[in-house]
Amino acid sequence: MLRIVALAAATLIAQFSLSAGARAEVTVSISCSSLGIEQQLCQSGSDAWAKKTGNKVKLVATPADANERLALYQTLLAAEAKDIDVFQIDVIWPAILAPHLVDLSPIVSEQDRADHFKVLVDNDTVDGKLVAVPWFVDAGLLYYRKDLLEKYGKPVPATWSELTETAKAVMDGEAKAGNSVVQGYVWQGRAYEGLACNALEWIASYGGGGIVDGDGKVTIDNPQAAQALEMAKGWIGTISPKGVLSYAEEESRGVFQSGNAVFMRNWPYAWALANAADSPVKGKVGVAVLPKGDGSDARNAAALGGQNLAVSRYSAHPNEAADLVRYLTSAEEQKRRALEGSFNPTLRSLYTDTDTVAANPFYKDFLPIMESAVARPSTVTGRRYNQVSSAFVRTVHGALSGQGQASATLVDLDKELERLGRNGRW
Ligand code: GLC
């Protein structure tokens, strides 16, 4: 009896404290990726929210590899697991994960909604629901060694042919001087989503389109696409190490940042790290748009990437989870991340903010890069995007590894994608 009374009293006290405004503390778990310092920045941002609201956060580490992260998320969400409340999701996943995510429209203010890049808000809107809020935006960039280009009197390459020649000239010059470690060009050649981004950039830069067009038509079997792949194949073992076929973002950055490459293709996050106090190439790095292909349809093409925050439908604390998303995607927090980690804001106004531009000089050129960015065909292929990407990556990796003529493999890929897309009805 005494125990029942004590329990009842405890319940009353708990109810009182709730209604008196001292909210019950909950623990919200958030998954963040781990490219470079992503984990640290996610932790510090989430901790700041926890301190402000009196809640707790638990960071769930996930693989840096986009494909591995998606597989993990799909397993958890299919099981309706409550383990993760807030998911960091890639720009190519909203359609794939939408059925498991809550509508976050109410947490985005009118002002922020108008300030976010429209392309990102549209990308996160599935069947009229805002299934994720834009967090940072990525576009492929060309990193180069200012000191080495200067030493050899070479300009920043405007075309891939120029890049190839310059890389070779610098490598040869350095080798003569006894430094045969330096590589010409490092990029992401492993068979994963990062290769889909690199290959899309090469193909689009030759005017070879974006794999599947906006109407759902498969366009990959074309001569410019084949030419682009043959060009990249020619780099392997010449200006790029053979090992590039197993490089993801961090492996490329490792080579470039230790001073052993003239050029690197990577996302903006590599800027802050290349210029960090302990970086051997601090102050020696420049950033430019990726080169154009050759031919009359050539253009600059950066793959559009980036990440969003979403709340799981199976979360036990959807309100707190949504509030954490609101906080992390706010202008204040996006600015902190831009200053500390060169994670590019999704809010346009931060590109004219003097502090963010001083920390990231390439921000002044970023708006045109964004405008010419090439999106992967994830909206039109919807839930089938991952299959499209896997088939594309398998074909490209095979062609780069020397398995057949690129033009022949593209014929097969085209057929495979057409079957998958049911002749454009995806
Ligand atoms: C970055 C991009 C993402 C892309 C991935 C590929 O994380 O933000 O969009 O899919 O790299 O590795």
Side-chain angles (χ1 to χ4, degrees), residues 16-40:
F16 175 75
S17 43
L18 273 180
S19 59
R23 293 164 46 199
E25 176 189 276
V26 303
T27 300
V28 175
S29 55
I30 175 167
S31 76
C32 285
S33 177
S34 49
L35 267 190
I37 55 166
E38 275 194 293
Q39 293 272 333
Q40 290 98 300

Side-chain angles (χ1 to χ4, degrees), residues 167-371:
K168 189 88 190 60
V170 177
M171 279 173 83
D172 290 349
E174 289 297 289
K176 265 193 208 123
N179 175 9
S180 41
V181 181
V182 78
Q183 295 291 334
Y185 185 39
V186 289
W187 38 280
Q188 293 79 49
R190 183 192 292 174
Y192 81 120
E193 188 60 33
L195 177 58
C197 298
N198 283 245
L200 177 66
E201 285 162 351
W202 310 326
I203 291 172
S205 78
Y206 272 80
I211 311 168
V212 176
D213 72 13
D215 297 328
K217 189 172 173 305
V218 179
T219 60
I220 191 61
D221 177 20
N222 67 72
Q224 291 100 317
Q227 199 186 347
L229 293 186
E230 289 296 343
M231 165 198 70
K233 186 174 166 181
W235 293 334
I236 296 164
T238 58
I239 62 165
S240 304
K242 291 209 174 84
V244 80
L245 290 174
S246 56
Y247 283 8
E249 286 86 357
E250 285 293 83
E251 286 80 10
S252 331
R253 185 173 70 82
V255 174
F256 185 79
Q257 198 167 312
S258 51
N260 294 331
V262 188
F263 297 112
M264 167 176 74
R265 183 267 178 215
N266 216 324
W267 305 110
Y269 85 95
W271 172 260
L273 297 168
N275 286 299
D278 62 351
S279 166
V281 294
K282 180 177 163 50
K284 296 180 181 167
V285 177
V287 172
V289 290
L290 287 165
K292 286 184 185 175
D294 292 319
S296 52
D297 296 330
R299 51 166 289 190
N300 293 105
L304 180 68
Q307 305 286 327
N308 312 275
L309 291 176
V311 173
S312 162
R313 269 181 53 202
Y314 319 113
S315 165
H317 312 293
N319 293 334
E320 288 80 3
D323 194 55
L324 175 57
V325 171
R326 189 196 50 71
Y327 178 84
L328 290 176
T329 55
S330 68
E332 184 192 359
E333 179 61 10
Q334 289 205 16
K335 177 168 176 174
R336 183 187 75 93
R337 293 172 54 89
L339 296 182
E340 291 181 26
S342 62
F343 284 96
N344 280 24
T346 59
L347 298 164
R348 301 175 73 100
S349 54
L350 289 173
Y351 289 84
T352 45
D353 176 284
T354 36
D355 302 333
T356 58
V357 177
N360 302 286
F362 60 96
Y363 278 13
K364 62 181 187 334
D365 303 322
F366 197 70
L367 295 181
I369 293 181
M370 270 294 288
E371 269 143 33

